[in-house]
Amino acid sequence: MMRTADDSPSLLTEIPTSSLAMSMLFGSITFTTAALTTKAWLTTGDSRVIFAAMKPRSQPLDKTSFVSIYTLLFHSTTFGMILFFAYLCENHPLYPHNEKVYDRDHFFFLVVLLFLFGFYTLHKNGCDTSPRLDATETGTAIAASARESISLPRNAARDVAEQDISTKSTSSSRCDSLSILQDCHPKLVEEGSSSSLPYKRSQISAAYATRVKEAKPYNDVLNRDQTEEWKGWMQFVFLIYHYYHAEEVYNSIRIMITCYVWMTGFGNFSFFYLKNDFSFVRVVQMLWRLNFLVIFLCLSQGTTYILYYICPLHTYYFLMVYVTMRVGKRLNYSKFGLRIKLAIVALLIYLIWDVDLGLFKVIHYPFLGSKPTLGATNGTQWEWYFRTSLDHWSTFLGMIFAANYPIVSLFYRKLEAMSWSKCWLGKGCMGASIMIAFVVWVRGPFLLDKFDYNVTNPYFGFVPLITYIYFRNLTPGLRSHSLKVLHEIGKTTLETYLMQHHIWLASNAKTLLVLIPGWPKINMVVVTIIYFTLSRKLYKITIFLRGMLLPNDSKSCVQSLVAMSFSVMFFYSMAHYFYMVGFVGLKAVAMVSIMCGGFLYVVVMDKTWESYSSSQSCDDETHRQPRYCSKDKILKVSKFLPPIAGGMVLLIVGVVWQRLAIVGGARVGPLHQRCETHVNNGHWISVDGCNEVVRGEAYRNEAIQNFATCGSAGATYMWGWEVSKSSLRCRFTQRNPRQLTKSLSHRRIGFVGDSMTRNLYHAFSRLLGIKDAGLYDANGPKHSNITRTVDHTLIDFIWAPFATDQVGIMNGMNEDDRKWDKHSYDLILIGGGAWDRLHRFGNDEEISAIGQTVSELVENMKMMKKSGVPVVWITPTTINTPALNTPEKRDHMTEEDMNDMRSIYEQLGVTQTASFVLNGPSFSAERVHESFDGVHYPPDVYGAGAQIFANSLDWLLPEKQGAVKFVSPEPGKMARPVLGFMMLCLCFIGLFCFDGFFGFSYVACLFIKGILPSELYLEAFSLLHEKCELPPLNVPPRLSLGANENVFVKKEIASFSQKMTRRKKMTVNHDEAEPLNHGIENNIA
């Protein structure tokens, strides 16, 4: 059925104002881009400007350059087309979105397959021959993280640098990491020289070079390749968790999000420590990377910012790190000043989240509300409190690890410089202690259910995190290798997270996008290819546009932001005006796009075309000759063809949009009443219950090896709806208890009728979650009323087998409604006819009486409908005549008799009067042979009828707005003061014991000397500051090496002296070696 002309306008009037505004904005840009492309092609015949736009270099926008402006418009058009595709997938899909189905075997199969395939891409870090985007990427471990994990799942800080290769100074390119070249033992700080660097590279002892290996960019702790790999495999598991709705692995996914938030603190702290850059440009560039795509997704889709909670979450914690490092930034290079400042931040975190003092509400009250909205069903205030509470310590723990990172790196390398036995004694003891903590976590908090686990995650989520970091970096070989395929996935984690909501998945990640119906695995492959391709493209566009619009110049950044904001507000105002005047549709979009696009085209031509065209020559043999070298022909063609080309592109886009709006589906939502004629259309199909999925579940869950009843011997039957055209928007689905209890909250439904109606009542009760409803009970009452309550939903069954009983009940309900001016029920489902046909259909007088009674029933149904209460009529199910077990039933209650009874009710107006008719034979006729007594069916048959009824509730009982006063939960419910105090103490240990592993490193120090983290501070940080030209370390003037280090260094001197002696006997000049040996001793003295 095609949509009529009356229906089609609603397709555009229903779209949000912001979506209409974005269609006008990108329509204008698309028009201009197409026109400029045609102009350049026809006039100069040079396609290099197009190729330059397709493979651009990130350079600041030149407003006088045709190529620069065209490149900007070209990528903006590409960006707009991807957003348009996402809008079509969400709102006008070719096929209705599909429901998620969890298959544990397939879920873990994909995870294992990823890692198996990943091992085939194992490669040594640093061997990548592809050109680096930024010179700083040759830095060591934390530089990578400072660029790649500065915020959630993306290469944030690296991206900041991608745009300013040419402007990077020599000094800044020297330092890309907190990792330093710990070649040898440094010189002690001279007394009174705290204002200068405590160590000089030229003064470092050569003895240490023989023991502690240099940290390379590719083999240090948490190097770039490793962090990308880490983000890659976590993102893959996170995505398929959403695809399959694998709730059983929720706790694991929660940990992965904790790791992402941890990386925000780790990477941002590293950047600010190394670069000491707190400029406006830096903040704007970072916020662009985090929010550019999500803002335009919100505008184009008409969604809310909180829906994509990962982006605001990481923006929030980025700003927390920024403020922490910016306030009192001179203390950042003080040994204890920085740590005291961080301790104060830890105390604030404890007071805001772990103690219910109301501080969270006071701080966030001006920005958050308590009304339900998309992505925040309990209000944005509670949603934000919930999201931030889950990981309120994670970012800060990442900052602590970054503050101790050089020490952690040196700790590993010092152990590895020792003998094999000492090295593995230290690593083994530390690893064992971490593993014990991990096992306790696995057997404790990790096994809690979802809601209980959420409370524990902020306090115990760091345990698996540091376990992974420690063992992933346990040996130089592990640090030096990574899996390439995971590395590639990790590059675009922000884009893949955002676009999964509308392209890979749909309905804001609640359903599956379908392009190939009936082939779920093939569909998954096709959709995944499209999804990852577009995500990578969006990543490149985001980085490129940032390089053009937000260069390292605050004035240019402000101008770009003002221009973008003005453009968005201008088109939003126009869209709002069109809504007010009722002029909404494709014609409005086309008119505004052509007018604004034409104006932009003229402006660009006036500003840039003359200089560009003068640089092109018809006699130039280096590029293709123009189509029209004659000036007259050029003038004639170039005047009218470019605008026509722009209009043709808009026409094509508009036709696609209009066509999909007519024949395609729609955004998932409540069913329309027009679906009433299709909801009963379906049939039973036999399903082989012995497939590999069922066999696997039976073996895992029930210890069943093989089935005895399979296929023809014992087929399982499933009822389903027939395929309907996408344009009907009748997407029938299996309803679950959560959906039903939500839609029926604070409502009362009455079932009135005989045993057929009672069985449907039991089936509907089971849908609401009452699993034992309708169990066979020979001793239970049969002909009595039943009342059940599920949460705030009340459902009643009233025994009324005869039409006269039903009339009496309906009369009583109508009288009560008039008396109390209040409805007793929100909906009535009534059914009957079988008892009347069996007991009161023997002569003409009884038949006449039944007709009169049914007519009265019709009048009562009309009165109830008039008062606003929907009435559903259920026709009797199919009768299995051969199975009827009494002579009376075989004489008066055959299927032919019941079919006549259905016709009588229809002729007397029952089916026409009812708000909806639930057709009993539609879900029972194909299973009639299973009716054991000729009348009643197995429970699953009535379950199909209950699902039909549940889908009809979408239009029969629309969700009430404001029927029940909404009360948003108050922030503070997740506060745990004791656990928070535990975390506070743990943070103090990490800060003032200088241990990134929060005290676990000291376990190794119990057995191995010379690796105490608190005594490695100067040694670890001195070369870092010299190499990176950072401000001098602010350390106490009198500082000496610890006793353990003195012993270790003296052993080094002795060992080095022996080597020098042996070397003198061979070829080394005695005069060169002796001063060096004395220099070491002087340094120690």
Side-chain angles (χ1 to χ4, degrees):
M1 185 181 87
M2 297 296 294
R3 187 168 286 110
T4 64
D6 294 335
D7 293 330
S8 58
S10 65
L11 296 174
L12 290 181
T13 57
E14 292 174 356
I15 69 173
T17 305
S18 61
S19 300
L20 185 64
M22 291 301 100
S23 65
M24 295 176 178
L25 170 62
F26 287 105
S28 303
I29 295 174
T30 301
F31 177 91
T32 306
T33 304
L36 293 176
T37 302
T38 307
K39 181 74 174 180
W41 180 262
L42 292 176
T43 306
T44 67
D46 190 0
S47 59
R48 286 181 297 178
V49 65
I50 302 174
F51 294 144
M54 295 175 65
K55 296 182 179 180
R57 292 184 178 180
S58 185
Q59 295 178 348
L61 177 66
D62 183 357
K63 301 180 182 65
T64 63
S65 169
F66 176 84
V67 175
S68 182
I69 293 179
Y70 176 81
T71 302
L72 173 64
L73 294 174
F74 178 86
H75 284 273
S76 299
T77 300
T78 305
F79 181 68
M81 286 297 179
I82 296 176
L83 293 180
F84 177 62
F85 177 75
Y87 178 84
L88 293 180
C89 291
E90 186 72 59
N91 296 276
H92 307 298
L94 281 172
Y95 304 99
H97 299 150
N98 210 349
E99 292 296 306
K100 297 179 180 179
V101 179
Y102 179 52
D103 181 348
R104 179 189 296 175
D105 182 51
H106 196 239
F107 175 86
F108 287 105
F109 165 75
L110 290 177
V111 174
V112 173
L113 184 64
L114 172 74
F115 283 99
L116 288 178
F117 177 73
F119 281 114
Y120 281 95
T121 64
L122 180 69
H123 76 296
K124 190 170 184 178
N125 303 337
C127 296
D128 187 4
T129 58
S130 60
R132 295 288 187 184
L133 294 173
D134 176 40
T136 62
E137 291 179 4
T138 60
T140 49
I142 235 182
S145 295
R147 290 170 171 75
E148 311 310 325
S149 60
I150 242 171
S151 64
L152 169 70
R154 55 198 156 290
N155 313 336
R158 181 200 69 194
D159 303 333
V160 174
E162 288 174 3
Q163 60 179 326
D164 55 354
I165 301 173
S166 60
T167 61
K168 205 162 272 293
S169 63
T170 304
S171 61
S172 64
S173 64
R174 291 179 57 197
C175 179
D176 311 314
S177 157
L178 292 183
S179 170
I180 56 177
L181 304 179
Q182 296 288 351
D183 294 68
C184 39
H185 203 285
K187 175 185 176 182
L188 297 180
V189 179
E190 295 180 4
E191 185 173 344
S193 62
S194 60
S195 61
S196 61
L197 281 176
Y199 305 144
K200 295 296 182 182
R201 185 187 300 253
S202 59
Q203 298 171 324
I204 294 177
S205 167
Y208 251 64
T210 64
R211 300 303 299 269
V212 180
K213 291 185 178 180
E214 177 182 323
K216 300 294 184 182
Y218 53 83
N219 68 0
D220 208 349
V221 178
L222 289 179
N223 56 75
R224 174 194 170 189
D225 296 274
Q226 185 185 132
T227 54
E228 292 285 21
E229 174 199 88
W230 188 9
K231 291 186 293 179
W233 69 259
M234 288 195 302
Q235 184 70 359
F236 180 86
V237 177
F238 182 75
L239 290 174
I240 62 171
Y241 158 79
H242 274 174
Y243 195 89
Y244 287 101
H245 193 55
E247 288 188 312
E248 70 172 353
V249 298
Y250 170 84
N251 293 357
S252 300
I253 299 301
R254 189 71 258 163
I255 289 297
M256 295 175 192
I257 297 176
T258 295
C259 293
Y260 280 132
V261 180
W262 182 91
M263 289 182 190
T264 298
F266 174 65
N268 279 292
F269 181 98
S270 303
F271 179 91
F272 290 125
Y273 191 94
L274 289 170
K275 301 300 180 183
N276 199 25
D277 180 8
F278 303 96
S279 64
F280 168 77
V281 173
R282 162 62 187 161
V283 175
V284 170
Q285 289 173 339
M286 189 63 213
L287 294 180
W288 173 286
R289 178 70 185 101
L290 287 168
N291 295 286
F292 170 71
L293 177 57
V294 69
I295 288 175
F296 278 96
L297 266 182
C298 292
L299 292 173
S300 62
Q301 298 288 341
T303 52
T304 58
Y305 188 45
I306 195 69
L307 175 68
Y308 315 94
Y309 70 91
I310 290 294
C311 293
L313 189 68
H314 289 271
T315 300
Y316 183 81
Y317 284 122
F318 161 74
L319 294 175
M320 186 190 84
V321 178
Y322 174 81
V323 172
T324 301
M325 299 296 287
R326 178 64 181 84
V327 175
K329 62 179 181 179
R330 291 185 178 180
L331 296 175
N332 292 346
Y333 304 109
S334 170
K335 180 177 182 180
F336 290 104
L338 171 63
R339 295 168 191 273
I340 293 174
K341 182 168 68 169
L342 291 177
I344 295 174
V345 174
L347 184 61
L348 290 176
I349 292 174
Y350 174 75
L351 295 176
I352 293 173
W353 277 281
D354 294 317
V355 183
D356 188 9
L357 300 176
L359 292 178
F360 182 91
K361 188 173 182 179
V362 171
I363 295 172
H364 300 89
Y365 179 78
F367 313 102
L368 304 173
S370 58
K371 294 182 179 180
T373 185
L374 179 64
T377 55
N378 288 319
T380 53
Q381 184 182 73
W382 170 257
E383 184 70 17
W384 189 240
Y385 170 74
F386 172 73
R387 295 297 178 185
T388 54
S389 293
L390 288 174
D391 291 297
H392 64 272
W393 284 107
S394 302
T395 295
F396 187 75
L397 296 180
M399 295 171 66
I400 294 177
F401 193 93
N404 294 317
Y405 177 84
I407 299 174
V408 171
S409 175
L410 181 60
F411 177 85
Y412 269 105
R413 289 180 285 115
K414 279 209 169 195
L415 281 174
E416 289 157 4
M418 299 179 183
S419 63
W420 184 91
S421 58
K422 288 185 177 181
C423 173
W424 284 104
L425 176 61
K427 287 184 177 181
C429 293
M430 181 178 173
S433 61
I434 292 178
M435 185 55 66
I436 291 173
F438 178 74
V439 171
V440 172
W441 172 81
V442 169
R443 301 185 65 178
F446 184 68
L447 296 181
L448 297 173
D449 64 73
K450 174 180 178 179
F451 298 102
D452 292 334
Y453 177 79
N454 283 338
V455 178
T456 68
N457 185 75
Y459 311 107
F460 299 104
F462 76 96
V463 174
L465 187 151
I466 63 172
T467 303
Y468 175 82
I469 293 176
Y470 178 77
F471 287 102
R472 179 63 181 85
N473 295 275
L474 191 59
T475 67
L478 287 173
R479 299 195 296 268
S480 301
H481 292 81
S482 61
L483 306 181
K484 186 67 175 177
V485 65
L486 301 182
H487 181 280
E488 292 300 317
I489 296 175
K491 287 182 178 179
T492 57
T493 45
L494 171 62
E495 288 71 26
T496 52
Y497 164 76
L498 291 173
M499 298 313 294
Q500 67 162 331
H501 290 80
H502 307 294
I503 293 181
W504 202 46
L505 305 175
S507 308
N508 302 320
K510 292 182 175 62
T511 58
L512 305 180
L513 178 64
V514 178
L515 297 181
I516 307 177
W519 300 85
K521 300 298 186 293
I522 300 299
N523 179 78
M524 181 184 183
V525 172
V526 173
V527 173
T528 300
I529 292 173
I530 296 173
Y531 160 66
F532 273 105
T533 301
L534 294 182
S535 296
R536 290 183 67 86
K537 186 63 179 177
L538 285 170
Y539 163 73
K540 294 177 181 178
I541 290 175
T542 302
I543 300 304
F544 172 76
L545 291 180
R546 184 181 64 182
M548 289 198 78
L549 300 177
L550 301 178
N552 292 335
D553 175 38
S554 58
K555 183 178 179 180
S556 299
C557 291
V558 172
Q559 290 177 348
S560 298
L561 294 175
V562 170
M564 290 181 61
S565 301
F566 173 79
S567 300
V568 171
M569 289 189 293
F570 171 75
F571 284 101
Y572 189 90
S573 300
M574 293 192 67
H576 182 69
Y577 173 76
F578 284 141
Y579 267 106
M580 291 178 60
V581 300
F583 183 57
V584 179
L586 288 178
K587 292 182 180 179
V589 175
M591 182 187 72
V592 174
S593 299
I594 292 174
M595 292 178 60
C596 296
F599 174 76
L600 181 60
Y601 170 75
V602 172
V603 171
V604 173
M605 292 296 296
D606 290 344
K607 297 289 185 180
T608 65
W609 181 252
E610 184 176 352
S611 60
Y612 172 75
S613 60
S614 63
S615 66
Q616 313 298 317
S617 173
C618 287
D619 299 325
D620 187 0
E621 296 181 356
T622 61
H623 57 81
R624 195 183 70 81
Q625 295 296 315
R627 292 183 178 274
Y628 305 98
C629 278
S630 171
K631 291 185 178 181
D632 294 335
K633 291 183 178 181
I634 291 175
L635 291 174
K636 291 179 181 179
V637 174
S638 62
K639 283 184 178 180
F640 62 86
L641 273 186
I644 291 177
M648 289 298 296
V649 171
L650 290 183
L651 177 63
I652 294 172
V653 174
V655 169
V656 172
W657 189 357
Q658 179 68 15
R659 187 60 183 168
L660 286 175
I662 293 175
V663 303
R667 182 188 292 267
V668 172
L671 296 169
H672 192 271
Q673 190 169 359
R674 60 174 169 265
C675 298
E676 179 181 357
T677 57
H678 302 276
V679 69
N680 284 298
N681 298 341
H683 57 86
W684 293 91
I685 61 171
S686 60
V687 179
D688 182 9
C690 297
N691 58 65
E692 61 177 5
V693 176
V694 178
R695 287 180 184 273
E697 291 182 352
Y699 188 90
R700 295 191 301 268
N701 302 334
E702 306 294 338
I704 298 296
Q705 184 172 0
N706 286 308
F707 290 105
T709 56
C710 288
S712 59
T716 301
Y717 288 94
M718 306 291 289
W719 194 90
W721 289 275
E722 295 177 354
V723 175
S724 59
K725 291 185 178 180
S726 300
S727 57
L728 294 175
R729 301 186 178 186
C730 295
R731 180 180 171 274
F732 305 115
T733 58
Q734 181 183 21
R735 303 304 169 94
N736 56 49
R738 181 179 179 182
Q739 295 170 321
L740 285 176
T741 52
K742 179 181 178 181
S743 62
L744 298 179
S745 180
H746 295 88
R747 285 178 167 172
R748 186 180 185 184
I749 298 178
F751 290 73
V752 180
D754 53 16
S755 58
M756 295 181 183
T757 308
R758 182 181 59 205
N759 284 329
L760 187 68
Y761 168 79
H762 289 318
F764 191 75
S765 299
R766 291 192 293 271
L767 282 188
L768 288 171
I770 306 176
K771 297 181 179 180
D772 60 350
L775 294 180
Y776 295 115
D777 185 2
N779 298 321
K782 293 183 178 181
H783 303 155
S784 61
N785 300 338
I786 307 173
T787 297
R788 293 190 177 109
T789 302
V790 181
D791 289 339
H792 299 289
T793 302
L794 186 66
I795 53 175
D796 297 329
F797 170 73
I798 303 173
W799 174 253
F802 295 105
T804 53
D805 299 330
Q806 296 161 11
V807 170
I809 292 171
M810 297 289 284
N811 269 326
M813 291 180 180
N814 285 322
E815 289 178 4
D816 290 342
D817 291 349
R818 286 192 298 268
K819 180 179 179 180
W820 303 105
D821 194 24
K822 183 179 180 181
H823 299 312
S824 303
Y825 290 90
D826 294 285
L827 182 144
I828 295 295
L829 185 145
I830 188 170
W835 279 57
D836 288 298
R837 186 65 181 82
L838 179 62
H839 301 291
R840 297 181 179 180
F841 213 77
N843 52 56
D844 293 340
E845 183 179 349
E846 289 181 341
I847 295 173
S848 176
I850 289 177
Q852 185 177 354
T853 304
V854 172
S855 298
E856 293 179 16
L857 179 63
V858 170
E859 292 302 319
N860 278 276
M861 292 171 64
K862 289 180 179 179
M863 292 176 60
M864 189 157 287
K865 283 182 60 180
K866 188 176 180 180
S867 66
V869 178
V871 180
V872 177
W873 175 259
I874 174 173
T875 60
T877 53
T878 306
I879 301 298
N880 185 9
T881 302
L884 294 172
N885 52 17
T886 65
E888 186 180 11
K889 290 181 179 180
R890 289 192 291 269
D891 291 339
H892 302 286
M893 201 177 171
T894 64
E895 174 58 21
E896 292 78 8
D897 296 330
M898 289 307 302
N899 196 37
D900 292 338
M901 205 65 179
R902 297 186 193 102
S903 299
I904 292 173
Y905 274 78
E906 183 175 358
Q907 292 170 5
L908 292 175
V910 173
T911 56
Q912 291 84 354
T913 304
S915 304
F916 169 65
V917 177
L918 178 56
N919 187 15
S922 67
F923 60 85
S924 63
E926 295 177 334
R927 299 281 298 276
V928 65
H929 60 279
E930 297 183 43
S931 178
F932 51 90
D933 61 357
V935 179
H936 302 105
Y937 287 82
D940 64 310
V941 175
Y942 295 103
Q947 285 290 350
I948 297 174
F949 173 60
N951 276 263
S952 70
L953 292 176
D954 280 8
W955 65 83
L956 293 173
L957 284 180
E959 189 171 344
K960 291 183 179 180
Q961 298 295 332
V964 180
K965 185 178 180 181
F966 174 78
V967 179
S968 177
E970 286 293 323
K973 291 186 176 181
M974 298 179 68
R976 297 295 185 273
V978 176
L979 292 177
F981 183 75
M982 177 197 73
M983 290 301 299
L984 196 63
C985 295
L986 198 69
C987 291
F988 290 162
I989 292 174
L991 288 172
F992 297 105
C993 293
F994 301 89
D995 186 10
F997 290 105
F998 305 100
F1000 283 105
S1001 300
Y1002 283 82
V1003 176
C1005 300
L1006 296 176
F1007 305 92
I1008 306 298
K1009 297 181 180 180
I1011 57 172
L1012 202 65
S1014 59
E1015 296 181 353
L1016 299 182
Y1017 176 82
L1018 285 177
E1019 185 178 349
F1021 277 87
S1022 294
L1023 283 179
L1024 173 68
H1025 279 245
E1026 180 184 358
K1027 174 189 173 187
C1028 303
E1029 298 184 1
L1030 295 174
L1033 283 172
N1034 185 4
V1035 295
R1038 297 181 178 274
L1039 201 90
S1040 61
L1041 292 174
N1044 292 337
E1045 274 192 297
N1046 274 314
V1047 173
F1048 184 69
V1049 173
K1050 289 178 180 179
K1051 290 182 179 179
E1052 289 298 316
I1053 295 174
S1055 174
F1056 184 75
S1057 299
Q1058 293 176 1
K1059 292 180 181 179
M1060 288 295 99
T1061 303
R1062 289 194 298 268
R1063 190 171 296 180
K1064 282 190 297 181
K1065 295 179 180 179
M1066 298 173 62
T1067 57
V1068 179
N1069 189 315
H1070 175 77
D1071 295 333
E1072 294 178 356
E1074 195 64 29
L1076 180 59
N1077 192 22
H1078 290 303
I1080 298 173
E1081 295 176 350
N1082 290 334
N1083 285 339
I1084 300 301

